Amino acid sequence: MAAPTERPFEIVARDDYSDVTYMLEIRHPLMARAARAGQFVIVMEHPHGERIPLTLADFDPEAGTITLVIQAVGKTTREMQQNCRVGTHLYAVTGPMGIPSHIGKARRVVCVGGGLGVAPVFPQARAYARNGTAVVGVVGYRNRDLVFWDERFRSVCDEVIVCTDDGSAGIKGLVTEGLKQAIARYPDIDEVIAIGPPIMMKACAEVTRPHKIRTMVSLNPVMVDGTGMCGGCRVKIGEGIKFACVDGPDFDAHQVDFDDLMARLARFRPEEQAALRKWEESCRLHAAAEASDRY
Amino acid sequence: MPEQAPAERACNFHEVAIGYSVQDALREAERCLQCPDEPCVRGCPVGIDIPAFIQKIADKHYRGAYDVITDTNLLPAVCGRVCPQESQCEGVCTVGDTLEPVAIGRLERFVGDMAIRDGWVNRPYVEPSGFKVGIVGSGPSGMACAADMAKAGCEVVVFEAFHEPGGVLKYGIPDFRLPNSVVDVEIDKLRALGVRFECNTLVGRLFTIEQMLTEMGFHAVFIGTGAGYPSFMGIPGESLNGVLSANELLTRCNLMRARDFPNFDTPLAPGRRVAVIGAGNTAMDALRVSLRLGADEVHCIYRRSKTEAPARAEEIHHAEEEGIRFHWLTSPVEVLGDDRKKVRGLRCQKMELGEPDASGRRRPVPMPGSEFEFQCDSVVYAIGTNANPILGQTSKLKLDKRGYIATDENLAASIAGVWAGGDIVTGAATVIEAMGAGRKAARAMKAWLGLRDSDVVYAAPPASERRFGFAAGEHGYARVHLG
């Protein structure tokens, strides 16, 4: 446990990969030791904040830190992008949550990452590599300037297929293109792990379905507690309902009702937009106040 | 008991029951007969010495009354507000045989509130015993167990998954029934006893119960994680936007302060016409919270009749006064949505009561041809909960067939050194029952560790229970690690 006088959840490293994607490395020795691939944390930036789930992109038991890679899309993630500098502290970081990914005996797996690039699927790739499985990585970016963690990913993959929208790096196309190439090239793929925006995970599931390749996805519904007591994260799997936070977040992609997930992700769209507008307005006012102070 | 007027209180989250003045309390305390039978003490799940504390109030020794209560129950300001006294102490009061029972709960609350107002803290000197006890969950059962073990000289650490301690007292019970500020004061009293709270700690995942005993130096562990996994009915339309569990509604509103969005970041999107399914205390809380969040109409849908409703009569009464509409003998069949996947209504059917079921209550039976559509934009499920799965997934603890933690009659779980109590053992119940379980487990834990209470006279055990010439209660225990 951290020494009683130390403030918890200190940010020890920060990196910006683009104007929307950034990385935070947080000191949490206990969680660094306990975390496993596929798990996530729930974070509150400050006491008035909301609780948001973020995938564990890396964890280092020796350094005693966990790493989150975050996309600034709404009020909370944008506010964190602005405020979370090295030396600052988050108000609450709880985890590791969720059932760890099952890293089984496989000859070869394909790890597909989109949206946040390779970050959410890196722990699975590394765990499979350590187990002796051949790992094919497929990762998508808008263009070559946005590529990050390239060396890190290549260190655990036998092959990496980079996909860019404009073809400036790797092949031109979405990650589904890269996935199709991998399936065409390798007949011994036992499992595909695809993590990214729901529309991407759904598309990957449809690529693998005719080949009957086991495909695991990590679902990201809206969450509050993350401990299974509110049911807000319920998802339709096959004929039943599961809670992504305690029954997941990994599920068999061919059983997931992605349309239902995407509809439920829009639950608070009006409130999210209002919060973002208010945040942008307060940023403008702050900037104007600072400019006039300097006068 | 002075209360806020219904029309006024339906718009705010301030407490409904304003509380006794000193005159009210003295007048009520005089009504107690101090009868020799004391049925109230037996009626209390934790056995508070009720006649003693009422006598202290009548003698105007309010601090003394507080001492008597806190000898047994650490949270008088909490229990005085939320206990179902009418089925416990007040339900068996001797005075209640002929007149209104003595208002024991209100007197307890009076004392608890005075303690808060005047900052009374009972901080006894306690000799450290050298044992370290871990408590999983900072709800009422964990808090009660923590207090007893702290008073026995143990180093006590309470682990809480949320960012604030209090459990259901904070996230579940709304401010107008139990203010979160009252919960915080009671928690500070535990800190004054030496109890340490570690929030943002998800036991089971951050570390396991087994690790607590083997690596982290805990000699005994109590599990009070609650039973929060909400139930849904499995009818069509439950994943439409606008359908949520009462737990989610209450957590967003009470703990995350979504009612003050956007000053607090958690959104809620409360409905204008809300239907709550269920008629327990959680349903009453969900109904009255929805009203205060600005709903034009709030409806309660319950498949049995008013007499079978599990909620406290006082809460149903308050809800009715506030203008909430009740639809008894009604059950939902399908949640109806619009083309944007939002709730637009509920198709229900009328029920009639048939033969009794396993709970002893008459089973509701659908009346054919009675289906009707009910317009609403939010549906809240308050039909019960199941066991939280995390500890079952992460430890070798034996569970019963419904997934709750299996315990013996002393609340000992299947791993040596581990006890469990409250909703995670019994299923959803009340705050005072959870506290009673925490105290019962503490008694067993103290016996196991070899700690004896200085104010208890222990009966000599029979000769058959002596081992090696020592009475069973005199044994000390040492943990031996092999290999």
Side-chain angles (χ1 to χ4, degrees):
Chain A
M1 235 156 290
T5 46
E6 230 177 73
R7 261 187 80 187
F9 318 127
E10 182 188 352
I11 295 170
V12 298
R14 158 89 188 240
D15 223 339
D16 288 74
Y17 301 132
S18 75
D19 56 351
V20 290
T21 310
Y22 57 101
M23 176 279 280
L24 299 178
E25 194 176 343
I26 301 161
R27 187 190 318 286
H28 200 317
L30 266 180
M31 202 189 301
R33 280 208 302 277
R36 299 285 176 274
Q39 291 185 302
F40 63 98
V41 294
I42 292 238
V43 167
M44 272 177 86
E45 195 206 339
H46 53 70
H48 284 212
E50 52 168 347
R51 292 170 67 86
I52 61 169
L54 294 167
T55 307
L56 280 163
D58 200 355
F59 31 91
D60 187 342
E62 271 161 41
T65 61
I66 58 167
T67 299
L68 309 174
V69 176
I70 305 168
Q71 203 162 52
V73 284
K75 190 256 181 180
T76 298
T77 43
R78 293 250 212 124
E79 193 177 30
M80 285 171 68
Q81 186 188 35
Q82 191 179 84
N83 296 341
C84 293
R85 305 285 162 193
V86 173
T88 60
H89 301 258
L90 290 166
Y91 173 64
V93 178
T94 313
M97 292 176 165
I99 301 178
S101 295
H102 175 66
I103 308 291
K105 292 246 165 299
R107 298 165 297 172
R108 186 183 306 273
V109 299
V110 182
C111 291
V112 188
L116 278 164
V118 64
V121 81
F122 172 71
Q124 284 90 332
R126 177 175 58 189
Y128 267 114
R130 283 186 179 151
N131 241 23
T133 301
V135 179
V136 177
V138 177
V139 62
Y141 299 97
R142 279 202 322 272
N143 62 61
R144 62 184 288 171
D145 295 326
L146 302 172
V147 174
F148 67 92
W149 283 16
D150 194 54
E151 257 181 55
R152 203 191 285 223
F153 202 32
R154 287 183 195 278
S155 74
V156 298
C157 296
D158 295 85
E159 183 190 344
V160 172
I161 303 172
V162 176
C163 312
T164 43
D165 290 1
D166 62 359
S168 51
I171 66 175
K172 178 167 177 188
L174 301 173
V175 291
T176 37
E177 271 318 301
L179 179 56
K180 285 179 190 154
Q181 280 193 17
I183 293 177
R185 199 175 309 161
Y186 298 104
D188 61 343
I189 296 173
D190 285 322
E191 187 172 321
V192 169
I193 300 136
I195 306 184
I199 192 104
M200 168 226 152
M201 294 191 287
K202 179 180 179 187
C204 291
E206 294 319 306
V207 166
T208 57
R209 200 189 295 269
H211 301 279
K212 294 198 181 16
I213 301 174
R214 178 175 146 90
T215 305
M216 298 304 284
V217 289
S218 180
L219 300 187
N220 58 342
V222 169
M223 289 187 188
V224 185
D225 59 298
T227 59
M229 52 76 77
C230 86
C233 64
R234 60 192 187 281
V235 289
K236 281 192 183 159
I237 309 293
E239 291 302 315
I241 303 279
K242 297 282 182 197
F243 290 6
C245 65
V246 290
D247 302 319
D250 285 0
F251 291 102
D252 177 352
H254 299 143
Q255 301 277 317
V256 173
D257 183 342
F258 283 101
D259 293 333
D260 179 69
L261 173 66
M262 290 190 277
R264 282 176 55 72
L265 279 167
R267 263 177 90 184
F268 295 114
R269 189 73 32 93
E271 286 75 16
E272 289 164 2
Q273 285 165 348
L276 203 48
R277 274 197 301 275
K278 181 168 181 270
W279 162 248
E280 285 168 348
E281 181 60 30
S282 88
C283 286
R284 267 197 291 279
L285 291 173
H286 264 126
E290 288 200 345
S292 67
D293 277 349
R294 259 183 252 123
Y295 185 83
Chain B
M1 163 71 99
E3 291 178 348
Q4 275 194 72
E8 193 190 318
R9 73 186 189 230
C11 305
N12 69 48
F13 279 83
H14 301 313
E15 281 198 81
V16 172
I18 295 171
Y20 273 169
S21 65
V22 173
Q23 306 316 316
D24 293 330
L26 288 173
R27 189 170 36 238
E28 191 62 26
E30 298 278 311
R31 294 184 64 237
C32 171
L33 300 175
Q34 298 291 325
C35 62
D37 189 29
E38 299 188 338
C40 51
V41 180
R42 288 191 301 281
C44 172
V46 295
I48 298 175
D49 191 346
I50 295 169
F53 94 74
I54 295 183
Q55 183 60 58
K56 294 274 184 204
I57 295 177
D59 296 340
K60 298 190 188 165
H61 295 161
Y62 307 115
R63 184 75 197 244
Y66 179 65
D67 291 341
V68 171
I69 297 175
T70 51
D71 217 23
T72 324
N73 165 23
L74 318 140
L75 314 178
V78 171
C79 292
R81 283 170 167 83
V82 305
C83 264
Q85 294 99 4
E86 65 276 8
S87 30
Q88 292 169 180
C89 49
E90 292 175 17
V92 293
C93 171
T94 306
V95 175
D97 289 344
T98 36
L99 306 167
E100 279 296 301
V102 175
I104 300 169
R106 287 159 186 182
L107 289 172
E108 185 185 23
R109 180 197 159 163
F110 167 77
V111 173
D113 284 353
M114 190 177 274
I116 292 176
R117 191 193 69 204
D118 293 348
W120 297 338
V121 175
N122 278 349
R123 197 185 329 217
Y125 173 71
V126 180
E127 187 84 28
S129 66
F131 290 114
K132 190 169 163 190
V133 173
I135 313 271
V136 184
S138 67
S141 71
M143 282 160 70
C145 187
D148 276 0
M149 298 312 288
K151 285 189 205 164
C154 299
E155 181 193 343
V156 179
V157 185
V158 178
F159 297 108
E160 167 57 49
F162 266 131
H163 50 284
E164 282 183 36
V168 73
L169 303 174
K170 273 270 179 76
Y171 73 72
I173 304 184
D175 274 355
F176 55 83
R177 276 218 291 141
L178 176 63
N180 280 354
S181 50
V182 168
V183 180
D184 282 331
V185 172
E186 303 283 40
I187 287 173
D188 282 340
K189 298 217 185 96
L190 287 181
R191 290 199 172 101
L193 272 179
V195 175
R196 207 167 87 223
F197 287 86
E198 297 272 349
C199 292
N200 300 302
T201 305
L202 183 60
V203 174
R205 292 274 171 222
L206 189 60
F207 48 81
T208 61
I209 300 283
E210 284 88 343
Q211 275 175 298
M212 287 172 76
L213 294 165
T214 55
E215 291 171 22
M216 293 169 68
F218 288 101
H219 299 99
V221 171
F222 173 77
I223 300 175
T225 48
Y229 192 102
S231 301
F232 291 87
M233 283 178 76
I235 58 177
E238 273 174 357
S239 62
L240 289 166
N241 289 335
V243 179
L244 65 168
S245 71
N247 269 3
E248 186 182 351
L249 171 71
L250 294 169
T251 301
R252 283 182 185 271
C253 181
N254 299 332
L255 179 67
M256 307 307 297
R257 297 279 295 274
R259 64 179 188 261
D260 293 328
F261 178 87
N263 292 330
F264 283 75
D265 289 337
T266 302
L268 183 45
R272 299 228 67 95
R273 287 188 66 134
V274 180
V276 173
I277 304 174
N281 288 313
T282 309
M284 293 305 121
D285 286 341
L287 288 163
R288 297 166 70 201
V289 162
S290 298
L291 188 66
R292 283 156 175 76
L293 290 172
D296 297 323
E297 284 178 28
V298 180
H299 301 261
C300 170
I301 315 273
Y302 184 54
R303 59 188 185 139
R304 290 186 163 102
S305 73
K306 186 170 176 176
T307 31
E308 281 91 18
R312 291 185 68 190
E314 181 178 324
E315 303 305 334
I316 301 183
H317 171 66
H318 280 149
E320 281 172 332
E321 279 185 330
E322 288 162 15
I324 288 162
R325 309 208 210 151
F326 288 81
H327 304 263
W328 307 108
L329 293 165
T330 310
S331 189
V333 168
E334 183 180 346
V335 184
L336 308 166
D338 62 16
D339 52 7
R340 287 171 310 137
K341 301 281 184 99
K342 269 200 75 355
V343 172
R344 68 166 171 83
L346 200 58
R347 175 149 55 239
C348 303
Q349 62 190 1
K350 300 298 282 175
M351 314 292 275
E352 55 190 349
L353 292 178
E355 292 306 304
D357 70 9
S359 72
R361 294 177 294 165
R362 292 178 67 190
R363 185 199 309 272
V365 168
M367 282 169 49
S370 65
E371 293 199 359
F372 65 98
E373 260 183 44
F374 174 82
Q375 205 195 9
C376 59
D377 58 4
S378 178
V379 178
V380 181
Y381 275 77
I383 56 172
T385 54
N386 296 309
N388 187 288
I390 292 180
L391 288 180
Q393 289 168 345
T394 58
S395 75
K396 294 198 164 60
L397 280 167
K398 254 187 71 184
L399 308 175
D400 72 14
K401 56 183 188 300
R402 289 182 310 149
Y404 296 110
I405 296 183
T407 57
D408 69 6
E409 68 277 4
N410 289 317
L411 300 182
S414 63
I415 297 178
V418 179
W419 282 260
D423 287 5
I424 194 63
V425 171
T426 60
T430 61
V431 165
I432 191 72
E433 284 172 282
M435 287 180 59
R439 305 210 67 216
K440 184 171 174 188
R443 276 196 289 283
M445 288 159 83
K446 284 191 282 190
W448 191 77
L449 293 171
L451 296 170
R452 312 196 93 185
D453 288 321
S454 53
D455 55 346
V456 173
V457 176
Y458 291 88
S464 56
E465 269 192 41
R466 300 177 80 82
R467 279 186 192 100
F468 313 118
F470 292 104
E474 296 286 332
H475 290 172
Y477 290 87
R479 188 184 307 282
V480 176
H481 287 279
L482 301 172

